[in-house]
Amino acid sequence: MNEPDQPMMRRRDVPAGPAPRAGDRARRPVPSPPRHASPPPPSASPPQGSPRRPPPPHPDAGRTRQAPGPRRNPVPPNPPEATAHLRDRRADDAHYRPPLAWSDAPGSASPGNRQSYAPTQRPEPVPAAERMRRPVPARAGSSARHGGDGGGPRRPGGRSGTAAPKPRRRRRRRLRVGRLLLVALLVLVVASVGLVFYYDSKLHRTDALTAYAGRPADTPGTNWLIVGTDSRADLSDAERAELSTGDSDGSRTDTIMMVYKPPSGDAMLISIPRDLYVPIPGQGSHKINAAFNFGGPQLLVQTVEQLTGARIDHYAEIGFGGFDQVVDAVGGVNICLDQPLNDPKAGLNLPAGCQDLNGQQALGLVRTRAFPNADLERIENQRKFLSALMAKATSPSVLLNPFRLIPFVNSAVDAVTVDDGDHLWNLAGLAWSLRGDPITTTTPTGGSEYTSDGDSLAVGDNTEQFFTYIRKGAAVPEDLLSTQAGVIGG
């Protein structure tokens, strides 16, 4: 294999300068071949085994590039006649081709055709337009505000010195934030559901709604029986003295209320006087509160169902030992009194006007009978206070404050006893129905009468008419509603 031409190798060592202009190519001098060279005879051939003679150097070999620009004394190109004698040299040699001058290259019709041919340069020069686009290194202290990029070339679509935002990273960030919010919401929901079932399992339950022969069928709406007892079983001696509950043993019903939620309209909070003289199954006729003493919640529920003809769907019972804790858990209840109250037996001494009652004061208010109408006025105060307590328990100040909500739920769960089929969400529905402005009334009676149990209240025709509307799910007329005011303003 032929060795590379030394002049051509020297051309590669020459640093690349500016690209020559097209107009300068034809003005470069072309060296003419030596005049003593003559073509060999046609019959001459290189001897066998001798190395092949390398081709003659290119006319441009060893030429030094000149800087672009106009020349003062341009050298005229050699005419075609100067190299014409080389065209016939060694014509019979297929491996030999005489070098052609630039002006003799194919496609050059005349010396004026200067852009038709140019020799290959290696390394090839960088075009002028591309050299202009090369980034200029930023000076020290330059910034995007002064036109500097501060580094590499600009990103397409971004302003000077500012990288274009990556949509994928933004989407990933949004997805990550969305996932975190979804996980937090899921944890909150799971924790809330878990707490509901936890507190529901802590409720005290009793088998109050038992089946018996002749029990009323389902009636329109929903009926709750709420019982307040004077049980002191959970109170210590110090607590009994503090709450002024006395030392009586056993359990009696101081409060009997029926909450009726009709299919449409406002709920009704109905007080049943404990002195109402009614038949008690298996016990004869007695005051209605004696049913609880005779047979507990089961017999009391059966007695109320026989009196009203309406089916009781839910049962709730609360005693002295938990009522005051429920009131303290919500931060007290604001009550407006039309007159001052002073009852040493109930440990009550309250001035007239609006004031916040704590647990001990609230318990004395719902127990006192120091009124001209005694029990009738007391049950009116009980209804108003219960409605105010439910309104406070379901207010945002309690529901949105875990330091109020959790103690309230704890105290309510400890204080309330429900039927076996009742749950915490049933109690929440009861509280929500009483938080607004329910219709409060007392069961109408036939007046006072003296019985074997002492002074009692008789069942009259108005009592039967009143519960007839309840059984049908119809609105109760105004003339059958109680007008007793009570001491609590409303």
Side-chain angles (χ1 to χ4, degrees), residues 227-232 251-255 292 315 317-321:
V227 177
T229 68
D230 59 357
S231 175
R232 303 162 177 84
S251 179
R252 286 166 292 274
T253 55
D254 273 358
T255 304
F292 190 88
Y315 175 83
E317 174 188 327
I318 185 170
F320 284 168

Side-chain angles (χ1 to χ4, degrees), residues 9 19 43 47 49 53 122 142 210 295 313 345 379 386 429 480:
M9 294 298 291
S43 59
R53 184 174 56 185
R122 295 184 180 178
S142 62
T210 58
D313 302 303
K345 293 182 179 179
I379 59 179
L386 180 61
L480 293 177

Side-chain angles (χ1 to χ4, degrees), residues 441-452:
T441 187
T442 303
T443 302
T445 65
S448 300
E449 65 175 355
Y450 188 82
T451 64
S452 56

Side-chain angles (χ1 to χ4, degrees), residues 261-473:
K261 297 169 60 179
S264 61
D266 297 330
M268 293 185 66
L269 185 56
I270 307 166
S271 296
I272 300 177
R274 68 171 190 168
D275 292 337
L276 188 63
Y277 196 75
V278 297
I280 298 177
Q283 301 295 330
S285 294
H286 296 277
K287 293 182 179 181
I288 194 171
N289 67 335
F292 190 88
N293 193 28
F294 288 148
Q298 297 86 354
L299 186 57
L300 178 61
V301 170
Q302 184 177 355
T303 302
V304 172
E305 288 182 339
Q306 295 297 320
L307 169 68
T308 62
R311 189 185 185 100
I312 301 299
D313 302 303
H314 303 280
Y315 175 83
E317 174 188 327
I318 185 170
F320 284 168
F323 182 82
D324 64 313
Q325 298 177 9
V326 173
V327 176
D328 289 334
V330 298
V333 179
N334 187 266
I335 294 295
C336 295
L337 301 178
D338 295 335
Q339 65 185 48
L341 291 178
N342 187 6
D343 185 0
K345 293 182 179 179
L348 192 64
N349 186 11
L350 299 175
C354 297
Q355 53 202 298
D356 290 332
L357 303 185
N358 58 25
Q360 186 270 337
Q361 294 170 331
L363 181 60
L365 175 62
V366 298
R367 289 184 56 229
T368 181
R369 303 177 65 186
F371 308 108
N373 292 327
D375 191 60
L376 293 178
E377 194 164 351
R378 179 179 70 166
I379 59 179
E380 183 70 24
N381 295 331
Q382 292 174 349
R383 290 197 307 267
K384 291 184 177 181
F385 185 85
L386 180 61
S387 179
L389 175 61
M390 293 298 101
K392 180 66 178 294
T394 56
S395 64
S397 62
V398 175
L399 295 180
L400 301 180
N401 186 357
F403 298 100
R404 293 289 189 194
L405 179 61
I406 294 178
F408 168 72
V409 175
N410 281 325
S411 58
V413 166
D414 292 338
V416 176
T417 301
V418 297
D419 181 65
D420 290 337
D422 292 329
H423 299 279
L424 189 64
W425 45 90
N426 299 126
L427 289 174
L430 172 65
W432 195 263
S433 64
L434 296 178
R435 69 178 301 273
D437 189 17
I439 301 173
T440 60
T441 187
T442 303
T443 302
T445 65
S448 300
E449 65 175 355
Y450 188 82
T451 64
S452 56
D453 289 347
D455 292 332
S456 305
L457 295 173
V459 175
D461 295 337
N462 53 356
T463 309
E464 178 62 24
Q465 294 175 6
F466 178 84
F467 287 114
T468 299
Y469 288 102
I470 301 296
R471 289 192 299 267
K472 295 180 179 180

